[in-house]
Amino acid sequence: MEVLDTKQLVFFKNKRYSFSGHDTFHCRLLWLKKGYYFLKAHGNFNADDAPVTLGVGKNMVQAIRYWMRAFGLLEEKNGKEFPNTLADLLFGGLNGEEPLDPFLEDNATLWLLHYQLIKTQQASTYWIIFNELRKRKIEFLSDDFIRFVELKGKDEGFATNRNTLSTDFSVFLRMYYRETVDKNGKTKDREDTFSGILTELDLVRCIFRKTPDGRREIPVYVITPTEREDIPAELLLYCLLDSPELGLSISLETLENEPGMPCSVFAMNRDGLLAKIEQLTARYPYITYSDQAGVRELQFKEKPADKYQILNDYYAKALI
């Protein structure tokens, strides 16, 4: 049995781990919009009439709440839940402006939600898979994920449950992978109505490998780094401004290798990262890129005070 390296990663690392909470439901395409308008109408996810108001079953009500939180679209005040600024921007609009993308029609919005899902760490499975597991196992199965987290648990002192982890991995696949695999190893398309919210990103792919005895083929999953040309440079800038831990100078090595940074979160290769940096330096005079004496850094002369304005800038161009 292969022993996976689970050395502790501390950059942007939340020491609390959270698994399950979704009642086995992956997030559907319009659930976040539905949850947003429910909360804006002063809805309460714990209210008896919540299933009727939302038009879903009781368990789905809690799943919508879970995904709103996991995608970082909720905030709590005095025991009540409200949509936060990002949720207002995407689904409702701010200051009388139109919402940026309430129906999630722009792939950039899906990439933003993917980033949110990982960065909030409310659903630890996604942080672990994209920042850690895929870098140690180019091809992985559910058992690889379970074993990896179990070893982390022993190393870092948190309890794990194999059934919970197995369910979390199944939900992860439904979130990102459009096809399902039947018991005969054949694939079939899942109906769009039931597809996961992030399947259009095509981040997770399936290939078939023979079992050690050579008698059958089994599906294994891969997340291959690419240039990610469909990610706008503004989104990379937003992510950097969303990380107040970062200073005015950020090394290329940090952007490329550290967990929580663009190349880790988006499975982006160096060519893609450098292309985004080139676009940013051309568009924003307060950003420069230095490559001197072997030290490669993205540098801010100053940082914008409002990270959300960067999103407004992008969508204003995208809608033209």
Side-chain angles (χ1 to χ4, degrees):
M1 179 183 298
E2 180 182 3
V3 178
L4 300 175
D5 177 15
T6 59
K7 67 181 181 180
Q8 184 175 347
L9 298 171
V10 296
F11 200 83
F12 289 109
K13 191 67 175 69
N14 183 345
K15 297 302 293 183
R16 296 174 58 192
Y17 293 91
S18 176
F19 303 96
S20 75
H22 40 60
D23 282 313
T24 75
F25 294 108
H26 62 281
C27 187
R28 313 290 170 80
L29 184 62
L30 296 180
W31 273 13
L32 299 181
K33 180 175 181 286
K34 185 186 290 281
Y36 171 81
Y37 283 110
F38 176 74
L39 289 176
K40 292 299 282 187
H42 307 290
N44 184 334
F45 286 114
N46 292 322
D48 291 338
D49 64 350
V52 176
T53 304
L54 284 165
V56 298
K58 185 176 181 180
N59 288 348
M60 284 188 177
V61 170
Q62 294 308 313
I64 292 174
R65 180 189 194 183
Y66 170 86
W67 290 115
M68 289 285 290
R69 182 180 291 115
F71 280 106
L73 300 173
L74 286 185
E75 61 182 44
E76 287 192 35
K77 293 180 181 178
N78 302 320
K80 294 184 178 180
E81 294 172 322
F82 302 88
N84 61 15
T85 301
L86 180 60
D88 282 331
L89 274 174
L90 289 176
F91 300 110
L94 282 178
N95 304 318
E97 298 291 333
E98 291 294 317
L100 296 183
D101 191 9
F103 296 100
L104 309 183
E105 297 173 297
D106 191 324
N107 255 26
T109 311
L110 299 182
W111 282 114
L112 173 59
L113 291 173
H114 165 75
Y115 163 78
Q116 286 288 118
L117 179 60
I118 294 173
K119 184 66 181 293
T120 64
Q121 300 188 55
Q122 294 292 320
S124 298
T125 287
Y126 301 88
W127 173 276
I128 290 171
I129 287 177
F130 283 95
N131 285 298
E132 303 179 48
L133 175 63
R134 72 172 184 84
K135 294 182 179 181
R136 292 156 175 76
K137 291 283 290 184
I138 296 175
E139 301 174 3
F140 54 88
L141 302 165
S142 176
D143 285 346
D144 296 317
F145 168 71
I146 293 170
R147 190 164 71 250
F148 185 82
V149 177
E150 287 176 335
L151 289 172
K152 282 182 66 68
K154 291 179 181 178
D155 183 46
E156 300 182 31
F158 64 89
T160 60
N161 179 286
R162 290 186 67 85
N163 289 335
T164 297
L165 295 176
S166 177
T167 299
D168 249 27
F169 189 83
S170 295
V171 171
F172 155 77
L173 287 181
R174 294 199 295 275
M175 288 278 282
Y176 284 93
Y177 185 60
R178 182 180 297 279
E179 293 180 325
T180 57
V181 182
D182 65 24
K183 63 183 179 181
N184 296 316
K186 296 181 178 179
T187 60
K188 54 183 180 181
D189 284 337
R190 186 185 297 115
E191 294 181 27
D192 287 341
T193 305
F194 301 107
S195 291
I197 192 171
L198 301 174
T199 55
E200 292 300 318
L201 298 181
D202 199 25
L203 263 171
V204 180
R205 296 187 176 185
C206 174
I207 57 178
F208 287 87
R209 297 295 189 205
K210 288 187 178 295
T211 56
D213 60 15
R215 294 181 178 178
R216 60 191 180 95
E217 291 188 334
I218 58 173
V220 297
Y221 300 96
V222 295
I223 301 172
T224 305
T226 72
E227 285 79 5
R228 304 297 174 200
E229 293 179 357
D230 60 332
I231 297 179
E234 288 86 351
L235 179 53
L236 185 143
L237 176 55
Y238 171 83
C239 295
L240 299 183
L241 298 177
D242 188 48
S243 302
E245 303 89 345
L246 297 174
L248 293 177
S249 296
I250 313 167
S251 72
L252 185 69
E253 182 180 0
T254 292
L255 295 172
E256 188 175 13
N257 298 316
E258 292 288 358
M261 289 285 91
C263 286
S264 293
V265 170
F266 298 122
M268 183 187 297
N269 61 24
R270 176 176 288 189
D271 288 343
L273 176 62
L274 290 173
K276 300 288 186 288
I277 291 174
E278 182 178 356
Q279 293 168 29
L280 290 177
T281 57
R283 296 172 190 172
Y284 297 94
Y286 55 80
I287 299 176
T288 60
Y289 179 67
S290 173
D291 186 354
Q292 297 181 351
V295 178
R296 292 171 289 187
E297 291 182 330
L298 183 149
Q299 299 173 341
F300 288 91
K301 297 178 182 178
E302 59 181 351
K303 286 188 177 181
D306 184 6
K307 63 186 178 184
Y308 298 114
Q309 186 57 46
I310 304 302
L311 296 180
N312 282 320
D313 291 345
Y314 166 74
Y315 285 97
K317 291 189 305 179
L319 294 174
I320 295 176

